[in-house]
Amino acid sequence: MELKRIFKALRVAWAIGEKDIRIYYARPGSLVFGILFPFSMFLSYIVGRNVTVAQAIPILVAQTLFFASSSIGPITIPLERRLRTFERFLSAPISLITVLVGKTLAGFIYGIAISVIPILVGVLVFNSVIVDIFALVIGLLLSAFCFAAMGLMFASIPGQHPGTVMMPMNFVRIPMLFISGVFIPISELPYWGQILSVFSPLTHTIELVKGGLGGENIFGGVLNIGILLGYLGLFLFLGIRFHIANQKKE
Amino acid sequence: MSVAIKAENLTKRYGDLVAVDHINFEVQKGEIFGFLGPNGAGKSTTTRMLIGISIPTEGTAQVMGFDIRRQSVRAKELMGIVTDVSNVYTQLTAWQNLIFTGKLYDIPKSERESRAKELLQLFGLFERRNDNVEGFSKGMRRRLCIAMALMNKSSILFLDEPTVGLDVQSSLIIRNLVKKLNSEGLTVFVTTHNMEEANQMCDRVAIINNGKIEAIDTPEMLKSAIKKLQVIEVSFVGSNGDLTSELKKIQEVTDVTKNGDKYRLNTENVPQALSNVWGFSKKKGLTINTLNTLSPTLEDVFVELTGIQPEIRPPKTQRGQD
């Protein structure tokens, strides 16, 4: 009986995710915050620098994964609140958790779909070699879930415009780029920066992707996976709690 | 007849504000129940609690026998909900909107497809099923919204302002569809500002004001209960001068207003007042030209109970200064 209920919830969550994919993936907000933003930041980072493709590809992959996965929740949830389609979920015979899992799925798939592009370009055009498929795949999957859950958590900020959520989220996302080995390699960070970098989930995404593509991994795969799993749990827990608290205020 | 909705001490507070204050009412299965009230009276908050969007601060309600707090999923399985805005996905087609709703209710594929087809035909949208809703008129979106609410073969339909902002033809189509569905056994809980709509559609109505229910009854019983609003309208052949002050002296007449060549006499006892007006005309040698009795409209009842003018006053129910 319990299993039947779980399968039903998963089917409904998938339906919500699938609908979001159909409606929101090509919306200007998703394209700007999920694709254009990370690509332009990446270009501003590599232009004029002596960065090899082997160094650049993992950063581009991690950055697009980070921005794309975390953008879908903050775009779809405020918009659905504004159009009052979110009420359809609340009045349907499903739990709020099912809705949030569906929204997380949409972010997860978006992140994976976008980040696979630079990997393919790296492998097919620049002859990048995947040396550790496990590290790469687990890095992509875990990170996409983790950042989609992060977006979901921020989407609990009450508001009916994506900007209301995006602005505070970017206050967190952009500083993370500086302590996660995106602009400055972790080994070149000051000591306090190196300590902080351990606590940034993006650090561990870059580490795993680098490891997968034959680059150096400072902290080791086990710590990378552990930290990403920890953040995934934390973001999901807080996101669900915040959304439930919001519903109680309705 | 058994109970479809039973609200018990249903209360909603937002901080110090009591939006809904310990209300109790029952809706019977198979009836169209109107929920009327001015803006901010608590009708939307009540509806939102009944459909599970908002959690009651105190009290509870049962919908089709299921407690909305403890068995909300079971209750929601039997509900169809149409909010005051047509919250359809405009980037999807009519067909996709219905199919998505079917998926939300976990209806098996073949069943949801046949149900979607059946509803699109019933609501006159089948020919446009593959068009994006973005290009639909307000009336078509409203019809699609109601169709989506019926995807799960709901036993009770919650309609919030079903015809607001629609043209006359679309309003008529929707009212007729709702009546048809009701005649097939669907219970309907309708929130509306439109008194004429409530008068025409509802078996019973509740009037809510300041979070409290002021009255619940059939429209006709509510009208007859407001006796002081009953009016006799009389005009005399060739009467010269203003007879207002003299008509006021007639027993059982509580007030008189002159409207053009007609006088509107307020009374709480229509038969006796009619007899007295007849006697007055004989005594004064006046010939009665027209004599009508006007019952109060539901709108009059609303205004009387809430002290607030409703937003929509259809011209044919407008009255003078009585």
Side-chain angles (χ1 to χ4, degrees):
Chain A
M1 191 64 191
E2 188 63 19
L3 207 62
K4 203 175 160 188
R5 210 169 56 87
I6 292 169
F7 277 122
K8 180 195 164 184
L10 285 175
R11 279 195 301 274
V12 176
W14 172 247
I16 294 169
E18 189 190 26
K19 183 267 300 165
D20 280 359
I21 291 168
R22 207 188 283 259
I23 296 179
Y24 298 107
Y25 274 17
R27 279 189 78 93
S30 309
L31 297 174
V32 169
F33 287 105
I35 302 174
L36 203 64
F37 199 54
F39 269 96
S40 53
M41 288 192 82
F42 174 75
L43 286 175
S44 67
Y45 161 64
I46 59 157
V47 169
R49 288 192 188 204
N50 191 19
V51 179
T52 63
V53 172
Q55 288 171 311
I57 293 291
I59 288 169
L60 180 60
V61 171
Q63 208 168 290
T64 47
L65 187 65
F66 178 49
F67 279 95
S69 302
S70 59
S71 291
I72 294 298
I75 285 166
T76 64
I77 294 177
L79 272 175
E80 293 224 38
R81 278 196 207 115
R82 190 170 77 204
L83 301 169
R84 293 186 50 191
T85 45
F86 202 77
E87 291 179 10
R88 291 202 166 274
F89 305 136
L90 299 179
S91 56
I94 51 174
S95 73
L96 186 60
I97 295 172
T98 303
V99 179
L100 299 176
V101 169
K103 295 280 171 194
T104 310
L105 268 175
F108 166 78
I109 295 168
Y110 193 59
I112 294 287
I114 303 294
S115 60
V116 160
I117 299 168
I119 294 176
L120 289 176
V121 171
V123 171
L124 301 175
V125 181
F126 296 104
N127 300 320
S128 295
V129 180
I130 298 170
V131 296
D132 187 348
I133 186 84
F134 175 78
L136 184 66
V137 170
I138 201 79
L140 290 179
L141 295 179
L142 261 184
S143 303
F145 254 128
C146 183
F147 299 136
M150 178 184 160
L152 177 87
M153 184 184 74
F154 275 96
S156 66
I157 296 169
Q160 300 191 334
H161 295 277
T164 319
V165 178
M166 281 297 181
M167 203 171 65
M169 191 165 76
N170 281 337
F171 270 110
V172 176
R173 287 199 299 191
I174 292 172
M176 277 170 73
L177 299 177
F178 293 93
I179 57 159
S180 305
V182 174
F183 294 136
I184 310 158
I186 290 168
S187 56
E188 291 174 25
L189 285 172
Y191 181 68
W192 60 266
Q194 291 184 8
I195 299 288
L196 272 181
S197 73
V198 182
F199 297 101
S200 165
L202 184 58
T203 301
H204 303 282
T205 303
I206 295 175
E207 289 270 290
L208 285 168
V209 177
K210 267 187 186 169
L213 295 173
E216 185 193 11
N217 185 321
I218 298 171
F219 298 112
V222 175
L223 183 70
N224 297 148
I225 292 169
I227 297 240
L228 283 172
L229 276 174
Y231 272 111
L232 170 62
L234 181 72
F235 291 147
L236 276 178
F237 174 75
L238 291 178
I240 289 167
R241 288 293 295 262
F242 292 159
H243 281 281
I244 289 173
N246 278 349
Q247 204 206 345
K248 283 184 180 163
K249 286 184 207 157
E250 277 281 340
Chain B
M1 198 182 265
S2 52
V3 177
I5 300 175
K6 186 177 185 182
E8 293 170 296
N9 284 321
L10 202 59
T11 305
K12 184 72 186 182
R13 289 193 199 91
Y14 296 103
D16 292 336
L17 175 78
V18 185
V20 176
D21 193 1
H22 297 90
I23 62 168
N24 294 282
F25 65 91
E26 283 185 6
V27 176
Q28 304 301 318
K29 278 184 185 167
E31 76 175 335
I32 301 183
F33 188 87
F35 208 54
L36 315 180
N39 285 340
K43 55 185 193 303
S44 287
T45 308
T46 304
T47 310
R48 289 169 75 83
M49 285 191 281
L50 292 174
I51 63 178
I53 291 178
S54 179
I55 299 163
T57 315
E58 210 182 311
T60 190
Q62 288 178 7
V63 177
M64 305 310 280
F66 295 107
D67 189 287
I68 55 162
R69 301 185 79 162
R70 288 181 291 109
Q71 301 163 291
S72 68
V73 170
R74 296 295 302 277
K76 286 173 184 177
E77 279 171 354
L78 302 170
M79 295 180 198
I81 293 144
V82 181
T83 58
D84 57 334
V85 293
S86 295
N87 55 349
V88 290
Y89 292 99
T90 52
Q91 299 93 332
L92 299 182
T93 65
W95 176 260
Q96 287 167 337
N97 267 286
L98 285 165
I99 293 299
F100 173 64
T101 308
K103 286 179 179 176
L104 269 187
Y105 285 81
D106 198 35
I107 301 168
K109 190 172 186 276
S110 60
E111 197 184 320
R112 69 175 174 252
E113 287 182 352
S114 65
R115 183 74 178 150
K117 190 178 169 194
E118 183 190 327
L119 286 166
L120 285 168
Q121 282 167 338
L122 177 68
F123 283 79
L125 296 168
F126 190 72
E127 300 306 316
R128 301 286 303 273
R129 66 190 180 282
N130 293 322
D131 291 352
N132 268 15
V133 175
E134 207 150 27
F136 280 21
S137 69
K138 275 186 181 176
M140 288 165 75
R141 287 181 191 202
R142 207 71 190 132
R143 274 184 277 157
L144 177 60
C145 230
I146 301 175
M148 287 164 81
L150 297 170
M151 266 303 279
N152 58 327
K153 292 191 174 167
S154 41
S155 309
I156 180 164
L157 182 65
F158 288 87
L159 285 170
D160 196 356
E161 302 288 357
T163 60
V164 74
L166 300 186
D167 58 68
V168 177
Q169 193 190 5
S170 299
S171 299
L172 276 173
I173 291 170
I174 285 172
R175 274 185 215 132
N176 289 337
L177 274 167
V178 172
K179 281 184 193 170
K180 182 178 181 292
L181 293 163
N182 173 252
S183 70
E184 291 165 6
L186 183 73
T187 306
V188 182
F189 182 93
V190 58
T191 307
T192 182
H193 275 108
N194 189 333
M195 299 299 130
E196 194 50 30
E197 184 169 87
N199 189 37
Q200 282 179 21
M201 282 176 66
C202 299
D203 298 308
R204 288 193 307 141
V205 295
I207 295 177
I208 185 170
N209 193 26
N210 294 324
K212 292 187 174 180
I213 301 247
E214 301 281 2
I216 304 180
D217 217 324
T218 63
E220 292 311 312
M221 287 301 287
L222 283 174
K223 289 178 211 168
S224 63
I226 310 290
K227 285 187 174 175
K228 67 178 178 178
L229 290 178
Q230 301 200 67
V231 171
I232 296 168
E233 192 178 72
V234 61
S235 69
F236 302 100
V237 175
S239 69
N240 292 321
D242 191 346
L243 298 169
T244 307
S245 57
E246 289 181 71
L247 286 166
K248 273 185 182 172
K249 291 174 190 161
I250 296 174
Q251 275 195 342
E252 302 296 341
V253 172
T254 55
D255 196 17
V256 178
T257 316
K258 188 172 186 295
N259 281 351
D261 64 340
K262 293 181 278 294
Y263 296 91
R264 296 170 76 105
L265 285 59
N266 287 27
T267 179
E268 291 182 21
N269 186 347
V270 174
Q272 189 57 54
L274 272 174
S275 171
N276 294 346
V277 169
W278 183 251
F280 170 85
S281 67
K282 287 273 183 200
K283 191 177 159 191
K284 296 283 178 186
L286 297 166
T287 306
I288 292 175
N289 185 24
T290 59
L291 182 66
N292 298 304
T293 57
L294 306 176
S295 294
T297 62
L298 191 57
E299 182 177 317
D300 295 320
V301 177
F302 180 91
V303 172
E304 180 68 16
L305 289 174
T306 62
I308 297 165
Q309 294 286 319
E311 282 186 352
I312 300 166
R313 284 180 71 105
K316 68 176 182 176
T317 62
Q318 276 190 351
R319 298 168 60 105
Q321 296 166 18
D322 47 39

